[in-house]
Amino acid sequence: MAFAKKSLGQNFLMHAQTAQRIVEAAELPERAVVLEIGPGTGMLTSALLTTGMSVVAVEADHTLIPTLEERFANEVAEGRLRLVQGDVRSVDLSILPEDYHLVANIPYYITGELLRMFLSRSQKPRSMTLLVQKEVADRIVRDPKGSLLSIAVRVYGTPIYRFTVPRGAFVPAPKVDSAVLSIQNISKDAFPTQAEEDWFFAVLRTGFGHKRKQLVKNLEALVPRGEVAAVLKSLSLPEKVRAEDLSLHDWLSLAQTLRN
């Protein structure tokens, strides 16, 4: 019997029907290669394999690997499942093809880190379908303004709130409800160069640095205040605007104009 480790943020998904709904929500192409982070007891792994996907499952908890190897011995032998022991933030992911998809029940405490990691890496997944805290999914999908995380996700793809998952679907049950967040149409089209991508996020992070302050005050850490004010005026943005008032289009225009 597997025991969840609090230090790894483990909450095992125990509902097969929920796992199947997650796979359906991912809208995966036939015989896709899927990266799964934290397979745990294998509930989502099983749903992926049952629908014909090939899975690379990265599990940080070495004590779970023998059970997974035994449960999915046939799929491992067939080459449809590859189990990798380690932290996904440090393991070599070069084994993945260019057109892989990410589907996972991730540890909640590293949600933001994993979103940044996979959306900004050169080998991006074609899509991401993740079990996250409901509050985080709400912030990303239902608040197109007002959130650094929402802007950071939307600049790479289209976030979709698929469905809510009650806390009772997990063992141990988390203290909050969860939701399935899907990010489709992932690309780097907004940034022709790495320098432009780096500058955009420097402006975004600095702009949200002190939410109570006006944007012009925050951004003077990067650009002289007078230049920031002039750029805001040229973009028809109020001089006293705050970071949470800007849309993705506003941020892209602001970063580009400040850089020129």
Side-chain angles (χ1 to χ4, degrees):
M1 181 178 178
F3 293 94
K5 295 180 179 177
K6 188 175 181 180
S7 61
L8 295 176
Q10 292 175 334
N11 298 96
F12 299 138
L13 178 65
M14 302 306 291
H15 285 190
Q17 183 179 8
T18 300
Q20 186 58 44
R21 288 186 68 193
I22 294 170
V23 175
E24 293 170 359
E27 299 181 349
L28 300 167
E30 188 175 354
R31 296 192 178 120
V33 175
V34 176
L35 170 63
E36 182 186 5
I37 302 169
T41 61
M43 187 64 70
L44 182 55
T45 314
S46 178
L48 287 164
L49 292 169
T50 299
T51 49
M53 307 302 159
S54 294
V55 180
V56 176
V58 179
E59 177 55 64
D61 187 350
H62 68 91
T63 66
L64 296 175
I65 297 297
T67 302
L68 291 167
E69 288 176 335
E70 181 179 355
R71 178 177 180 180
F72 300 110
N74 291 337
E75 290 82 358
V76 171
E78 294 168 359
R80 293 183 52 226
L81 172 63
R82 179 166 180 172
L83 293 167
V84 179
Q85 196 278 308
D87 188 322
V88 74
R89 295 170 293 181
S90 57
V91 300
D92 181 8
L93 296 177
S94 62
I95 58 174
L96 294 169
E98 289 292 327
D99 58 348
Y100 77 99
H101 298 257
L102 175 55
V103 181
N105 170 26
I106 59 176
Y108 294 158
Y109 75 99
I110 55 172
T111 297
E113 185 177 356
L114 291 181
L115 284 170
R116 289 191 297 271
M117 171 183 166
F118 282 96
L119 290 174
S120 63
R121 72 194 303 260
S122 57
Q123 189 184 3
K124 294 175 175 41
R126 291 295 178 88
S127 69
M128 299 173 67
T129 303
L130 306 171
L131 256 175
V132 300
Q133 286 187 14
K134 183 179 184 298
E135 179 186 356
V136 173
D138 278 331
R139 196 186 327 152
I140 292 174
V141 177
R142 295 170 177 171
D143 184 13
K145 299 181 181 181
S147 165
L148 188 155
L149 185 58
S150 177
I151 298 295
V153 168
R154 289 171 182 276
V155 77
Y156 290 113
T158 306
I160 304 168
Y161 190 110
R162 294 299 192 182
F163 60 92
T164 301
V165 180
R167 61 197 77 185
F170 303 89
V171 172
K175 296 180 180 179
V176 295
D177 287 335
S178 304
V180 174
L181 170 71
S182 182
I183 306 172
Q184 300 289 339
N185 308 314
I186 295 175
S187 76
K188 200 177 180 179
D189 292 348
F191 307 113
T193 68
Q194 185 62 49
E196 288 176 85
E197 182 177 11
D198 293 343
W199 174 249
F200 174 83
F201 280 98
V203 172
L204 185 67
R205 285 191 294 270
T206 304
F208 274 99
H210 302 280
K211 288 194 69 173
R212 293 185 179 181
K213 291 185 178 180
Q214 295 171 9
L215 187 60
V216 68
K217 179 64 176 177
N218 284 338
L219 290 180
E220 67 178 358
L222 284 179
V223 180
R225 185 182 182 115
E227 293 184 27
V228 177
V231 167
L232 291 176
K233 184 176 181 180
S234 72
L235 297 175
S236 300
L237 293 171
E239 184 175 348
K240 294 183 179 181
V241 71
R242 298 181 188 277
E244 60 266 29
D245 298 323
L246 270 62
S247 66
L248 172 59
H249 174 75
D250 292 331
W251 281 110
L252 287 167
S253 300
L254 178 62
Q256 181 180 22
T257 309
L258 286 172
R259 190 169 182 266
N260 293 338

